[in-house]
């Protein structure tokens, strides 16, 4: 009985430690922007996201992650030439916090207007964050649109 309780307790600590592994961070964004779009398929699948739409002609991929509690993270990845653009729509506060906390040590410049927060991140690019009220209105939940535009020097490898 004591052994079973200890095993259950260890499992709970292990699962909470890996609870945010499916959320996207600075390192994940850097990996995505430096690699081609085909590696994004493998990357998002490993993170637990599902491929919703794949358009070979437009070099566009849409991924979705449903999180328990009614929250979600929808990610659009687009290639234009050799540069990749990432756009995330989410109502998961932990995703916004994950990106904000992981880029904080790499910030070159940060600015904000009433509608948009802008972060210039070293070795990555510019991150634009727009925050809107959720529909239907919920004072606890907000909707975040996060757009990542890579620096000119960052191109995807084949």
């Amino acid at each position: 009985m004591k052994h079973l309780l200890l095993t259950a307790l260890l499992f709970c600590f292990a699962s909470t430690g890996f609870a945010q592994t499916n959320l996207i961070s600075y390192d994940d964004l850097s990996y995505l922007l430096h690699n081609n779009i085909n590696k994004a398929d493998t990357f998002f699948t490993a993170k637990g996201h599902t491929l919703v739409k794949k358009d070979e002609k437009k070099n566009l991929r849409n991924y979705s992650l449903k999180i328990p509690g009614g929250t979600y993270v929808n990610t659009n990845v687009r290639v234009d030439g050799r540069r990749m653009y990432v756009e995330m729509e989410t109502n998961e506060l932990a995703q916004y916090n994950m990106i904000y906390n992981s880029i904080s040590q790499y910030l070159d410049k940060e600015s904000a207007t009433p509608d948009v927060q802008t972060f210039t991140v070293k070795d990555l690019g510019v991150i634009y964050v727009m925050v809107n009220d959720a529909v239907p209105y919920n004072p606890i939940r907000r909707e975040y649109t996060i757009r990542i535009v890579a620096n000119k020097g960052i191109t995807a490898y084949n």
Side-chain angles (χ1 to χ4, degrees):
M1 180 69 176
K2 190 175 185 180
H3 186 300
L4 182 63
L5 182 62
L6 182 61
T7 304
L9 187 63
L10 182 62
F11 177 75
C12 289
F13 285 129
S15 64
T16 58
F18 294 110
Q20 292 185 346
T21 59
N22 52 3
L23 300 179
I24 307 298
S25 68
Y26 169 83
D27 296 324
D28 300 330
L29 291 173
S30 180
Y31 174 81
L32 284 172
L33 295 176
H34 284 90
N35 290 288
N36 67 18
I37 197 163
N38 294 323
K39 290 193 178 184
D41 289 339
T42 307
F43 172 78
F44 279 108
T45 303
K47 284 282 210 180
H49 296 242
T50 57
L51 180 64
V52 176
K53 182 180 177 186
K54 182 177 184 178
D55 190 350
E56 292 290 336
K57 289 183 180 179
K58 295 181 182 177
N59 285 329
L60 178 71
R61 307 276 200 286
N62 297 338
Y63 304 95
S64 180
L65 174 68
K66 303 293 182 202
I67 301 170
T71 60
Y72 62 88
V73 178
N74 295 329
T75 307
N76 300 323
V77 178
R78 177 178 61 89
V79 174
D80 185 13
R82 296 193 48 83
R83 288 178 63 190
M84 191 173 301
Y85 299 89
V86 179
E87 179 177 327
M88 300 170 67
E89 296 174 356
T90 184
N91 64 352
E92 177 63 44
L93 180 62
Q95 177 61 69
Y96 170 77
N97 287 337
M98 173 74 84
I99 290 178
Y100 184 79
N101 291 335
S102 65
I103 66 171
S104 63
Q105 61 186 341
Y106 302 105
L107 281 179
D108 282 339
K109 188 178 6 172
E110 180 179 353
S111 64
T113 63
D115 296 331
V116 179
Q117 290 177 305
T118 306
F119 304 99
T120 305
V121 183
K122 180 174 47 171
D123 297 330
L124 188 67
V126 180
I127 299 176
Y128 301 97
V129 179
M130 281 103 14
V131 182
N132 297 315
D133 290 330
V135 176
Y137 179 73
N138 183 347
I140 298 172
R141 290 238 168 100
R142 312 262 336 216
E143 300 217 355
Y144 302 93
T145 303
I146 303 166
R147 291 192 177 121
I148 297 98
V149 179
N151 285 338
K152 288 188 247 181
I154 298 176
T155 57
Y157 296 118
N158 286 333

